[in-house]
């Protein structure tokens, strides 16, 4: 039977900050599968990995295909695995993320998972690097391999969890996260720890906005209240 509340987490700039390492690994994987040095990456704000690759390939005159994405995903995942220890040193879990995940995990009516544009292997490495994966049910998560757009990712997670949209809440740092949740009637809490201001997250339609996750009690009230 579905739990009473499904919490859907974005990863980058909501739970973790790779402090530039994510781009470095992305560039290395792009060069590996295309033979082209990365000169410019398409805007990644709220986009999924297939879309970022497609737009970046276009900027470099590289023909996009599903086969290219599959090879790129393999290379990018392998790069994250190889550099997991370095990521742990250079990156960080954002303040309060671990404490909030733990606090929510103490509530039997709550399930937590991720809705992320990252490919699965990269997402798993990022979460495990900062000890965030234990409270998350990744069997019901959605990843960059699952859909090109955020609404599609949310739809996949709702289907895998067998949770109705009215029993879900999504936390993310971009207007794309907000739109992805709202497209399916999911309540959205903006987290202004990325490049989008609290005002812009509210304007995009977030029901509430947190400046960060540092205040565990306040965040709990907004999520489960």
């Amino acid at each position: 039977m579905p739990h009473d509340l499904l919490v859907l987490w974005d990863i980058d700039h909501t739970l973790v900050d790779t402090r530039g390492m994510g781009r470095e690994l992305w560039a290395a994987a792009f060069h590996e599968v295309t033979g082209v040095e990365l000169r410019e990456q398409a805007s990644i704000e709220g986009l999924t990995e297939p879309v970022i690759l497609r737009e970046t390939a276009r900027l470099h005159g590289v023909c996009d295909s599903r086969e290219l994405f599959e090879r790129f995903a393999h290379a990018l995942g392998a790069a994250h695995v190889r550099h997991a220890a370095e990521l742990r040193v250079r990156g960080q879990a954002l303040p309060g993320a671990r404490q909030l995940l733990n606090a929510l995990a103490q509530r039997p009516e709550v399930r937590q998972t991720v809705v992320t544009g990252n490919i699965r292997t990269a997402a798993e490495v990022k979460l495990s690097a900062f000890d965030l994966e234990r409270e998350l049910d990744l069997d019901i998560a959605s990843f960059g391999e699952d859909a090109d757009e955020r609404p599609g990712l949310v739809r996949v997670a709702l289907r895998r969890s067998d949770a109705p949209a009215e029993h879900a809440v999504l936390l993310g740092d971009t207007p794309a996260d907000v739109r992805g949740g709202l497209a399916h009637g999911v309540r959205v809490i903006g987290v202004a720890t990325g490049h989008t201001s609290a005002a812009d997250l509210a304007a995009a339609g977030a029901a509430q906005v947190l400046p960060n996750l540092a205040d565990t009690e306040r965040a709990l009230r907004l999520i489960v209240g």
Side-chain angles (χ1 to χ4, degrees), residues 7-15 45-46 94 115-116 150 169-179 181 187-198 200-202 204 206-213 223:
V7 181
L8 304 169
W9 289 100
D10 173 55
I11 295 179
D12 290 310
H13 301 294
T14 301
L15 292 174
E45 197 74 7
L94 288 171
V115 171
T116 176
R150 291 277 168 173
V169 58
L170 184 149
L171 290 92
D173 67 288
T174 72
D177 294 315
V178 177
R179 291 192 295 270
R187 179 168 59 96
V188 179
I189 298 174
V191 186
T193 43
H195 302 295
T196 304
S197 68
D200 286 343
L201 289 169
Q208 296 96 10
V209 180
L210 291 164
N212 51 57
L213 302 177
I223 294 168

Side-chain angles (χ1 to χ4, degrees), residues 41-188:
Q41 187 183 42
S43 171
I44 64 173
E45 197 74 7
L47 298 183
T48 64
E49 216 67 86
V51 175
I52 298 169
L53 177 63
R54 180 169 67 236
E55 294 303 311
T56 302
R58 181 181 58 80
L59 291 172
H60 292 76
V62 173
C63 182
D64 178 56
S65 67
R66 185 66 190 181
E67 187 266 342
L68 176 67
F69 171 71
E70 290 172 355
R71 289 192 293 114
F72 173 78
H74 177 78
L76 184 61
H80 276 78
V81 171
R82 288 195 306 272
H83 293 277
E86 184 183 356
L87 177 62
R88 188 175 297 112
V89 172
R90 290 179 52 184
Q92 65 170 353
L94 288 171
R98 189 175 298 109
Q99 294 87 338
L100 183 53
L101 288 173
N102 289 341
L104 285 165
Q106 304 309 308
R107 295 173 175 257
E109 77 278 11
V110 172
R111 268 190 302 180
Q112 301 180 83
T113 191
V114 296
V115 171
T116 176
N118 285 276
I119 63 166
R120 179 166 189 145
T121 301
E124 290 175 341
V125 169
K126 289 178 182 181
L127 294 169
S128 63
F130 308 112
D131 299 319
L132 301 178
E133 81 286 2
R134 286 175 293 181
E135 317 300 353
L136 298 164
D137 183 351
L138 298 184
D139 288 337
I140 59 172
S142 59
F143 304 95
E145 296 95 332
D146 293 317
D148 280 2
E149 304 294 339
R150 291 277 168 173
L153 293 176
V154 174
R155 179 174 61 251
V156 168
L158 291 174
R159 174 173 52 79
R160 287 176 174 165
S161 63
D162 194 26
E166 60 270 23
H167 289 182
V169 58
L170 184 149
L171 290 92
D173 67 288
T174 72
D177 294 315
V178 177
R179 291 192 295 270
L182 295 181
H184 296 283
V186 172
R187 179 168 59 96
V188 179

